[in-house]
Coordinates of all heavy atoms in Angstrom, one line a residue:
A18 N -51.3 -55.7 -3.5 CA -51.5 -56.4 -2.2 C -52.3 -57.7 -2.5 O -53.0 -57.8 -3.4 CB -52.4 -55.5 -1.3
D19 N -52.0 -58.7 -1.7 CA -52.6 -60.0 -1.9 C -54.2 -59.9 -1.9 O -54.9 -60.6 -2.6 CB -52.2 -61.0 -0.8 CG -50.8 -61.4 -1.0 OD1 -50.2 -61.3 -2.1 OD2 -50.2 -61.9 0.0
S20 N -54.7 -59.0 -1.1 CA -56.1 -58.8 -0.9 C -56.9 -58.3 -2.2 O -58.1 -58.5 -2.3 CB -56.5 -57.9 0.3 OG -55.9 -56.7 0.1
V21 N -56.1 -57.7 -3.1 CA -56.8 -57.2 -4.2 C -56.3 -57.8 -5.6 O -56.8 -57.5 -6.7 CB -56.5 -55.7 -4.4 CG1 -56.9 -55.0 -3.1 CG2 -55.0 -55.4 -4.7
K22 N -55.4 -58.8 -5.5 CA -54.9 -59.4 -6.7 C -56.1 -60.1 -7.5 O -56.9 -60.8 -6.8 CB -53.9 -60.5 -6.4 CG -52.5 -59.9 -6.0 CD -51.5 -61.0 -5.7 CE -50.2 -60.4 -5.3 NZ -49.2 -61.5 -5.0
G23 N -56.1 -59.9 -8.7 CA -57.2 -60.5 -9.6 C -58.4 -59.6 -9.6 O -59.3 -59.8 -10.5
R24 N -58.5 -58.6 -8.8 CA -59.7 -57.7 -8.7 C -59.4 -56.3 -9.2 O -60.2 -55.7 -9.8 CB -60.4 -57.8 -7.4 CG -60.9 -59.1 -6.9 CD -61.7 -59.0 -5.6 NE -60.9 -58.5 -4.5 CZ -61.2 -57.4 -3.9 NH1 -62.2 -56.6 -4.2 NH2 -60.4 -56.9 -2.8
F25 N -58.2 -55.9 -8.8 CA -57.8 -54.5 -9.1 C -56.7 -54.5 -10.1 O -55.9 -55.5 -10.2 CB -57.2 -53.8 -7.8 CG -58.2 -53.5 -6.8 CD1 -59.5 -54.0 -6.8 CD2 -57.9 -52.7 -5.7 CE1 -60.4 -53.8 -5.8 CE2 -58.8 -52.4 -4.7 CZ -60.1 -52.9 -4.7
R26 N -56.7 -53.5 -10.9 CA -55.6 -53.4 -11.9 C -55.1 -51.9 -12.0 O -55.9 -51.0 -12.1 CB -56.1 -53.7 -13.3 CG -55.0 -53.8 -14.4 CD -55.5 -54.4 -15.7 NE -54.5 -54.6 -16.7 CZ -54.1 -53.7 -17.5 NH1 -54.6 -52.5 -17.5 NH2 -53.1 -54.0 -18.4
I27 N -53.8 -51.8 -11.8 CA -53.2 -50.5 -11.9 C -52.6 -50.2 -13.3 O -52.0 -51.2 -13.9 CB -52.2 -50.3 -10.8 CG1 -51.7 -48.8 -10.7 CG2 -51.0 -51.2 -10.9 CD1 -50.9 -48.5 -9.4
S28 N -52.6 -49.0 -13.7 CA -52.0 -48.7 -15.0 C -51.5 -47.2 -15.0 O -51.9 -46.4 -14.1 CB -53.0 -48.9 -16.2 OG -54.2 -48.1 -16.1
M29 N -50.7 -46.9 -15.9 CA -50.1 -45.6 -16.0 C -50.1 -45.0 -17.4 O -49.7 -45.7 -18.3 CB -48.7 -45.6 -15.4 CG -48.0 -44.2 -15.3 SD -46.3 -44.3 -14.8 CE -46.5 -44.8 -13.1
D30 N -50.4 -43.8 -17.5 CA -50.2 -43.0 -18.8 C -49.0 -42.1 -18.6 O -49.1 -41.1 -18.0 CB -51.4 -42.2 -19.1 CG -51.4 -41.5 -20.5 OD1 -50.2 -41.3 -20.9 OD2 -52.4 -41.2 -21.0
N31 N -47.9 -42.6 -19.0 CA -46.6 -41.9 -18.8 C -46.7 -40.5 -19.4 O -46.1 -39.5 -18.9 CB -45.4 -42.7 -19.4 CG -45.2 -43.9 -18.6 OD1 -44.9 -43.9 -17.4 ND2 -45.3 -45.1 -19.3
A32 N -47.3 -40.3 -20.6 CA -47.3 -39.0 -21.3 C -48.1 -38.0 -20.5 O -47.8 -36.8 -20.5 CB -47.9 -39.1 -22.7
R33 N -49.1 -38.5 -19.7 CA -49.9 -37.5 -18.9 C -49.6 -37.5 -17.5 O -50.3 -36.9 -16.7 CB -51.4 -37.9 -19.2 CG -51.8 -37.8 -20.6 CD -53.3 -38.1 -20.8 NE -53.7 -38.2 -22.2 CZ -54.0 -37.1 -22.9 NH1 -54.0 -35.9 -22.4 NH2 -54.3 -37.3 -24.2
N34 N -48.6 -38.3 -17.0 CA -48.3 -38.4 -15.6 C -49.5 -38.8 -14.8 O -49.7 -38.2 -13.7 CB -47.6 -37.1 -15.1 CG -46.3 -36.8 -15.8 OD1 -45.6 -37.7 -16.2 ND2 -46.0 -35.5 -15.9
T35 N -50.2 -39.8 -15.2 CA -51.5 -40.2 -14.6 C -51.5 -41.6 -14.3 O -51.1 -42.5 -15.2 CB -52.7 -39.8 -15.5 OG1 -52.7 -38.4 -15.7 CG2 -53.9 -40.2 -14.8
V36 N -51.9 -42.0 -13.1 CA -52.1 -43.4 -12.8 C -53.5 -43.7 -12.5 O -54.3 -42.8 -12.1 CB -51.2 -43.7 -11.5 CG1 -51.8 -43.0 -10.3 CG2 -51.2 -45.2 -11.3
Y37 N -53.9 -44.9 -12.9 CA -55.4 -45.3 -12.7 C -55.4 -46.6 -11.9 O -54.5 -47.4 -11.8 CB -56.0 -45.6 -14.1 CG -55.9 -44.5 -15.0 CD1 -54.8 -44.4 -15.9 CD2 -56.9 -43.5 -15.1 CE1 -54.7 -43.4 -16.9 CE2 -56.7 -42.4 -16.0 CZ -55.7 -42.3 -16.8 OH -55.6 -41.3 -17.8
L38 N -56.5 -46.7 -11.1 CA -56.7 -48.0 -10.4 C -58.2 -48.4 -10.7 O -59.1 -47.8 -10.3 CB -56.6 -47.8 -8.9 CG -56.7 -49.0 -8.1 CD1 -55.5 -50.0 -8.4 CD2 -56.8 -48.7 -6.6
Q39 N -58.3 -49.5 -11.5 CA -59.5 -50.1 -11.9 C -59.8 -51.1 -10.8 O -59.1 -52.1 -10.6 CB -59.5 -50.7 -13.2 CG -60.8 -51.4 -13.6 CD -61.9 -50.4 -13.8 OE1 -61.7 -49.4 -14.5 NE2 -63.1 -50.7 -13.4
M40 N -60.9 -50.9 -10.1 CA -61.3 -51.7 -9.0 C -62.6 -52.5 -9.3 O -63.7 -51.9 -9.5 CB -61.5 -50.9 -7.7 CG -60.3 -50.1 -7.3 SD -60.4 -49.4 -5.7 CE -61.7 -48.1 -5.9
N41 N -62.5 -53.7 -9.5 CA -63.7 -54.6 -9.8 C -64.0 -55.6 -8.7 O -63.2 -55.8 -7.8 CB -63.4 -55.4 -11.1 CG -63.1 -54.5 -12.3 OD1 -63.7 -53.5 -12.5 ND2 -62.1 -54.9 -13.2
S42 N -65.2 -56.1 -8.8 CA -65.6 -57.1 -7.8 C -65.4 -56.6 -6.4 O -64.9 -57.3 -5.5 CB -64.9 -58.5 -8.0 OG -65.1 -59.0 -9.3
L43 N -65.8 -55.4 -6.2 CA -65.6 -54.7 -4.9 C -66.3 -55.4 -3.7 O -67.4 -55.9 -3.9 CB -65.9 -53.3 -5.0 CG -65.0 -52.4 -5.8 CD1 -65.5 -51.1 -6.2 CD2 -63.7 -52.2 -4.9
K44 N -65.7 -55.4 -2.6 CA -66.2 -56.0 -1.4 C -66.4 -54.9 -0.3 O -65.7 -53.8 -0.4 CB -65.3 -57.0 -0.8 CG -65.0 -58.1 -1.9 CD -64.0 -59.1 -1.3 CE -63.6 -60.2 -2.3 NZ -62.6 -61.1 -1.7
P45 N -67.2 -55.0 0.7 CA -67.3 -54.1 1.8 C -66.0 -53.8 2.4 O -65.7 -52.7 2.8 CB -68.3 -54.7 2.7 CG -69.2 -55.5 1.8 CD -68.3 -56.1 0.8
E46 N -65.1 -54.8 2.5 CA -63.8 -54.7 3.1 C -62.9 -53.7 2.3 O -61.9 -53.3 2.8 CB -63.1 -56.0 3.2 CG -63.9 -57.0 3.9 CD -64.7 -57.9 2.9 OE1 -64.2 -58.9 2.4 OE2 -65.9 -57.5 2.7
D47 N -63.3 -53.4 1.1 CA -62.5 -52.4 0.3 C -62.8 -50.9 0.6 O -62.2 -50.1 0.2 CB -62.7 -52.6 -1.2 CG -62.2 -54.0 -1.7 OD1 -61.2 -54.4 -1.3 OD2 -63.0 -54.6 -2.4
T48 N -63.8 -50.8 1.5 CA -64.2 -49.4 1.9 C -63.1 -48.7 2.6 O -62.5 -49.3 3.6 CB -65.4 -49.4 2.7 OG1 -66.5 -49.9 2.0 CG2 -65.8 -48.0 3.2
A49 N -62.6 -47.6 2.1 CA -61.5 -46.9 2.7 C -61.3 -45.6 2.0 O -61.9 -45.3 1.0 CB -60.2 -47.8 2.5
V50 N -60.4 -44.8 2.5 CA -59.9 -43.6 1.8 C -58.7 -44.1 1.0 O -57.8 -44.6 1.6 CB -59.5 -42.5 2.8 CG1 -59.0 -41.3 2.1 CG2 -60.7 -42.1 3.6
Y51 N -58.7 -43.8 -0.2 CA -57.6 -44.2 -1.1 C -56.7 -43.0 -1.4 O -57.2 -41.9 -1.8 CB -58.2 -44.8 -2.4 CG -58.8 -46.1 -2.2 CD1 -60.0 -46.3 -1.6 CD2 -58.0 -47.3 -2.6 CE1 -60.5 -47.6 -1.5 CE2 -58.6 -48.6 -2.4 CZ -59.8 -48.7 -1.9 OH -60.3 -50.0 -1.7
F52 N -55.5 -43.2 -1.2 CA -54.5 -42.1 -1.4 C -53.5 -42.4 -2.6 O -53.0 -43.5 -2.7 CB -53.6 -41.9 -0.2 CG -54.4 -41.4 1.0 CD1 -55.0 -42.3 1.9 CD2 -54.5 -40.1 1.3 CE1 -55.7 -41.9 3.0 CE2 -55.2 -39.6 2.4 CZ -55.8 -40.5 3.2
C53 N -53.4 -41.4 -3.4 CA -52.4 -41.6 -4.5 C -51.0 -41.2 -4.0 O -50.8 -40.3 -3.2 CB -52.8 -40.7 -5.7 SG -51.6 -40.7 -7.1
H54 N -50.0 -41.9 -4.5 CA -48.6 -41.7 -4.1 C -47.7 -41.6 -5.4 O -48.0 -42.4 -6.3 CB -48.1 -42.7 -3.2 CG -46.6 -42.6 -2.9 ND1 -45.7 -43.4 -3.6 CD2 -45.9 -41.9 -2.1 CE1 -44.5 -43.2 -3.2 NE2 -44.6 -42.2 -2.3
A55 N -46.8 -40.7 -5.3 CA -45.8 -40.7 -6.4 C -44.4 -40.5 -5.9 O -44.2 -39.8 -5.0 CB -46.1 -39.6 -7.5
N56 N -43.5 -41.2 -6.5 CA -42.0 -41.0 -6.3 C -41.4 -40.5 -7.6 O -41.5 -41.2 -8.5 CB -41.4 -42.3 -5.8 CG -39.9 -42.2 -5.5 OD1 -39.1 -42.6 -6.4 ND2 -39.6 -41.7 -4.4
L57 N -40.9 -39.3 -7.6 CA -40.5 -38.7 -8.8 C -39.4 -37.7 -8.7 O -39.0 -37.3 -7.6 CB -41.7 -38.0 -9.5 CG -42.6 -37.0 -8.6 CD1 -41.9 -35.7 -8.6 CD2 -44.0 -36.9 -9.2
E58 N -38.8 -37.3 -9.8 CA -37.8 -36.2 -9.9 C -38.5 -34.9 -10.2 O -39.5 -34.9 -11.0 CB -36.8 -36.6 -11.0 CG -35.9 -37.8 -10.7 CD -34.9 -38.0 -11.8 OE1 -35.4 -38.7 -12.8 OE2 -33.7 -37.7 -11.7

């Protein structure tokens, strides 16, 4: 999303079926409930 570019970084460990979201330079506007989503077989 444009609002998080340069501050957040998403990565995936394919072997462990795990996704990460590194959130830096956080702002009060980032306050929210964060939901993980997967599209898979």
